[in-house]
Amino acid sequence: MSEEQREPPVMPDTNKAGGSAQDELSAWLSWLRQLGVLGGALSTLATAEIRLASGDLRRLLLLSLLMLPILVFTWLGLSVFVSWLVFSQSGMAGAGLFTFFAIQAGATMTIALLLKKYSRSLTLPMTRRYLDEIVEDIKHGP
């Protein structure tokens, strides 16, 4: 965790024999308060990241819907390209059809890259990293 979120630990006073139990209790209470603050911060972070991911989920669904007709056009473009090459054997008509295919394939690749980008945010990376830090702090104790 960052240093701003940590309170300095209460060090036991060696001069007081009866105060060491009080100091240890105070350290545990301070640690529990810090865990409460960390839990609240984690909850806030998770809520914000879920809101951002839900926006990306809508974009992901929209891009998925847009990808279907483009895939159909790409397949049609490839089919027409191969058919025209076989039929004409001149290459001129095929060059025009290849351009059609290249445009469709470029659009498909662009949408695939956007799908990958938006789906990455659905894993909540910052929340998971923050939770791992909290678990590490809990393992080490106060």
Side-chain angles (χ1 to χ4, degrees), residues 61-139:
L61 291 173
L62 179 64
L63 288 172
S64 296
L65 288 174
L66 289 174
M67 192 170 202
L68 289 174
I70 291 175
L71 286 173
V72 170
F73 282 132
T74 302
W75 178 251
L76 286 173
L78 178 63
S79 300
V80 169
F81 175 70
V82 171
S83 298
W84 189 261
L85 281 179
V86 170
F87 179 73
S88 71
Q89 295 183 4
S90 69
M92 292 304 212
L97 290 173
F98 179 74
T99 302
F100 173 76
F101 172 73
I103 290 171
Q104 298 304 319
T108 301
M109 285 185 234
T110 302
I111 289 175
L113 289 174
L114 289 172
L115 284 171
K116 185 177 180 180
K117 174 187 170 187
Y118 293 138
S119 65
R120 222 179 271 138
S121 73
L122 294 176
T123 63
L124 308 176
M126 296 300 292
T127 302
R128 290 172 62 202
R129 187 176 318 140
Y130 195 62
L131 183 60
D132 290 341
E133 290 178 8
I134 290 173
V135 168
E136 284 298 316
D137 281 350
I138 289 173
K139 285 180 184 178

Side-chain angles (χ1 to χ4, degrees), residues 1-7 31 33-43 45 126-141:
M1 306 275 70
S2 65
E3 291 300 320
E4 301 92 37
Q5 295 174 340
R6 294 186 182 183
E7 296 176 14
W31 185 68
R33 276 195 302 270
Q34 289 175 6
L35 283 179
V37 169
L38 289 174
L42 178 66
S43 141
L45 177 64
M126 296 300 292
T127 302
R128 290 172 62 202
R129 187 176 318 140
Y130 195 62
L131 183 60
D132 290 341
E133 290 178 8
I134 290 173
V135 168
E136 284 298 316
D137 281 350
I138 289 173
K139 285 180 184 178
H140 295 302

